[in-house]
Amino acid sequence: MERPASYNRPASFESLLKSYDHFHKRQCPADVEILTEACYPGELSTVLTFIEEQKSANRTPVLLYTRKAVYVGVRRVPKR
């Protein structure tokens, strides 16, 4: 049975997921470092704060999602 994409991630974070790179947590790229614990739909303001902190530090925020939660991560810069 095919499920809609919205089934696989929290609907309250949908607009954020459209704004930033995002991946399912199991498909996390090797260059992404997860910074937060699971953030649930009631914690939207916390997620926004984490994203703003990373952007102000000139890091690229990446969102990782599961069916019920979102995690904030950043792309690691390759070492030279």
Side-chain angles (χ1 to χ4, degrees):
M1 185 172 117
E2 193 63 32
R3 292 190 172 111
S6 61
Y7 178 82
N8 294 321
R9 53 187 179 232
S12 60
F13 293 117
E14 199 61 43
S15 63
L16 274 180
L17 292 171
K18 288 178 182 168
S19 304
Y20 297 99
D21 285 349
H22 61 277
F23 304 93
H24 192 279
K25 190 170 181 233
R26 271 192 248 133
Q27 297 165 335
C28 180
D31 67 338
V32 172
E33 179 181 355
I34 301 173
L35 301 176
T36 65
E37 296 292 317
C39 296
Y40 296 95
E43 301 172 287
L44 182 60
S45 62
T46 306
V47 173
L48 292 171
T49 303
F50 279 124
I51 290 171
E52 287 307 314
E53 285 172 356
Q54 297 313 312
K55 283 171 43 179
S56 67
N58 291 326
R59 296 187 190 122
T60 307
V62 176
L63 297 177
L64 301 156
Y65 61 88
T66 61
R67 230 178 94 210
K68 296 183 178 183
V70 166
Y71 301 76
V72 178
V74 289
R75 286 215 182 265
R76 286 192 217 111
V77 178
K79 294 186 170 83
R80 294 178 184 163

